[in-house]
Amino acid sequence: MMRRTWPLLAAAALSACVAGPPPEIATPVPDLPEGFAYAPEASVSAALDSLLPTSDPAFTDLAALALADAPTLAQAAARIDAARAGADRAGAQRLPEIGANANVTASRINTAQFGGALPPGVSIDPNQVQYGANLTFAFDPDLFGRLRAQERAAVARLDAATFDAVAVRNALLAEIASSVIDWRTLEAREAALREDLAAAEALARLAGVRERAGIAPGFDRVRAESAAEASLSRIAALASERARLSGRLVTLTGLSAQRVLALLEQPAPLYAEPAAPASLPSDLLANRPDVLAASAVLAAEDAELAAAAARRFPQFTLSAALGLLAFDLGDLFDDDAVVGSVGGSLLAPLLDFGRIEAEIDGAAAEKRLAFAQYRGAVFTALGDAETAYGLVAAADAELAAAERERAAADRAASIANTRFEAGLSNFLTVLEARRAADASGERVAAAQGRAMRARVLLWRALGGTPAEATPQD
């Protein structure tokens, strides 16, 4: 018995010497700060979805239609299907392979090879036809875990594709939300400019009356009309921004421009600036889909390294066949036609001149690369969150200052008009005060838009809303 097993043991020992053990590659969790530098001091427990303009029917309708048929999501879904097929294929490699075959073989032999003196009554037919049918069985028991490691790698890549799809989904929703906010900002700016226009036109009419009465020069009327024309010019300039936004939404949603514009025409409630929710840097490791995708790729490369290392060891294969064999078609189903075989094979690398070692080194390098990319994704997420918190704080401060400026400018314009009517101020003072008040209204609208866009950035930076699809176990 030992004489029979000795060659197998020797082959296994030699194959283990083909390459050394796989290198140990440290993948520690990145060291993150305890909190965000720009996070609000007051902790607010609020859902991330509150940062999106979910009260706007244009956003909810466009988002729903985009999630149903957006081109970018279709691409992500196709990548998931491809990764799922790879995982299914890797899992099937661990199962037995059962096949069937049938054959008909005709051959002609040289009877002279049997000699010329055959016994009496014995003859050999030089033409022979062989009929056969077989069921075959082959199975790799995967004693050293190569196939299991390949399956783990494939499942991890499926997880990565799923998380990538979530990241695409969040990016799509964030772009739609930002575009809708920009559209509402244009509407608010136009409303402020039209108020400016109405005030400028009223001043121009007043200046015209005073000019015709001979109590004011015509220059006052010209200056008031110039202010009105400036407002009209700014209103006309908004059309190009609307065209850009509608085209962007067409690209994002796959809808026609007519459908997009019809949805944007829906009335929207006044936006409120929700408080930034509390979060910790460590939450990014579990919430950011790009970080989770990078972690899944790292797990896949770790499994690939294990699979490459397992190639150092022998590969055992069990096989069996059961079939029928006859030299006459009518005898194919006779009892004597049943044939079969059972066996096993061993394939072991003995001397490969460094091929397997090179594969292990390559897999180790891929794992180091995946870990570096994972760390990069983590710190990108950290930087995005810090930036978003800082933008929310800065935008809120800007909006508060703009609202105070508008209130002060409106008071100044009212006082200037009262003084002018009382004969205590000239028309130029009224006009300048009115211009300042008009410009402050548009600045408030723009500042409010930036405050809402900053919240959309924070929503995406903190991980967005998880999709219903979850990674594979």
Side-chain angles (χ1 to χ4, degrees), residues 48-73:
L48 280 180
D49 279 350
S50 64
L51 299 175
L52 296 176
T54 52
S55 61
D56 192 325
F59 168 71
T60 55
D61 291 347
L62 287 168
L65 292 170
L67 291 178
D69 196 28
T72 52
L73 287 181

Side-chain angles (χ1 to χ4, degrees), residues 341-408:
S341 65
V342 176
S345 65
L346 170 67
L347 177 63
L350 298 180
L351 186 62
D352 70 345
F353 300 98
R355 294 184 182 89
I356 294 179
E357 184 176 4
E359 290 183 7
I360 293 175
D361 290 342
E366 291 292 339
K367 183 178 177 180
R368 287 194 295 271
L369 173 61
F371 179 61
Q373 292 173 337
Y374 170 72
R375 292 186 71 249
V378 170
F379 287 108
T380 296
L382 181 63
D384 289 346
E386 290 283 15
T387 299
Y389 271 124
L391 287 176
V392 169
D396 287 351
E398 179 189 2
L399 177 58
E403 289 175 339
R404 291 193 300 269
E405 177 194 3
R406 179 177 59 181

Side-chain angles (χ1 to χ4, degrees), residues 14 41 65-66 94 107 123-125 138-139 152 168 181 185 188 192 232 248 268 287 303 353 371 403 449 462-463:
L14 288 173
E41 296 181 1
L65 292 170
R94 296 181 57 198
S107 61
S123 63
I124 298 177
D125 187 358
F139 176 62
R152 290 198 308 273
V168 170
I181 289 170
T185 301
L232 283 172
R248 179 61 178 156
N287 296 338
F353 300 98
F371 179 61
E403 289 175 339
L462 295 182

Side-chain angles (χ1 to χ4, degrees), residues 32 36 279-289 291-292 378 381-383 385 461-463:
L32 299 176
F36 293 108
S279 182
L280 296 174
S282 58
D283 295 336
L284 299 175
L285 302 181
N287 296 338
R288 282 275 296 227
V291 173
L292 294 171
V378 170
L382 181 63
L462 295 182

Side-chain angles (χ1 to χ4, degrees), residues 42-241:
S43 298
V44 177
S45 298
L48 280 180
D49 279 350
S50 64
L51 299 175
L52 296 176
T54 52
S55 61
D56 192 325
F59 168 71
T60 55
D61 291 347
L62 287 168
L65 292 170
L67 291 178
D69 196 28
T72 52
L73 287 181
Q75 297 172 27
R79 286 191 286 269
I80 290 177
D81 290 341
R84 181 176 289 110
D88 292 342
R89 182 174 59 251
Q93 293 291 333
R94 296 181 57 198
L95 301 177
E97 181 178 351
I98 300 175
N101 63 72
N103 62 83
V104 178
T105 305
S107 61
R108 180 180 177 83
I109 63 175
N110 183 6
T111 58
Q113 63 182 319
F114 299 103
L118 295 176
V122 176
S123 63
I124 298 177
D125 187 358
N127 298 310
Q128 296 182 353
V129 178
Q130 178 178 295
Y131 302 91
N134 299 283
L135 290 175
T136 61
F137 170 88
F139 176 62
D140 184 346
D142 193 28
L143 298 182
F144 298 102
R146 176 178 57 86
L147 297 179
R148 291 192 296 274
Q150 291 177 346
E151 183 180 17
R152 290 198 308 273
V155 171
R157 295 196 187 281
L158 174 57
D159 291 347
T162 303
F163 288 126
D164 284 338
V166 176
V168 170
R169 172 184 176 274
N170 288 350
L172 177 65
L173 291 177
E175 288 287 342
I176 293 174
S178 296
S179 297
V180 172
I181 289 170
D182 287 346
W183 187 274
R184 300 307 185 197
T185 301
L186 290 181
E187 292 179 338
R189 287 174 59 194
E190 181 176 356
L193 288 172
R194 292 202 177 278
E195 291 180 1
D196 300 346
L197 176 62
E201 289 175 340
L203 287 175
R205 288 193 298 270
L206 176 61
V209 171
R210 290 170 58 83
E211 178 186 359
R212 288 189 295 273
I215 59 177
F219 185 55
D220 289 348
R221 175 184 55 79
V222 173
R223 283 184 296 188
E225 290 175 348
S226 175
E229 291 299 330
S231 296
L232 283 172
S233 176
R234 292 200 297 272
I235 291 173
L238 299 179
S240 61
E241 297 187 44

Side-chain angles (χ1 to χ4, degrees), residues 236-327:
L238 299 179
S240 61
E241 297 187 44
R242 284 196 177 90
R244 177 184 61 81
L245 289 174
S246 60
R248 179 61 178 156
L249 286 170
V250 168
T251 301
L252 293 171
T253 62
L255 301 174
S256 66
Q258 293 81 356
R259 184 73 183 281
V260 168
L261 292 173
L263 293 173
L264 289 171
E265 287 176 358
Q266 300 177 88
L270 294 176
Y271 283 170
E273 295 78 36
S279 182
L280 296 174
S282 58
D283 295 336
L284 299 175
L285 302 181
N287 296 338
R288 282 275 296 227
D290 54 341
V291 173
L292 294 171
S295 176
V297 170
L298 177 58
E301 295 300 342
D302 180 72
E304 293 285 4
L305 176 58
R311 289 198 58 201
R312 297 175 296 135
F313 302 103
Q315 178 180 346
F316 295 94
T317 302
L318 302 177
S319 60
L322 178 64
L324 303 172
L325 179 64
F327 291 94

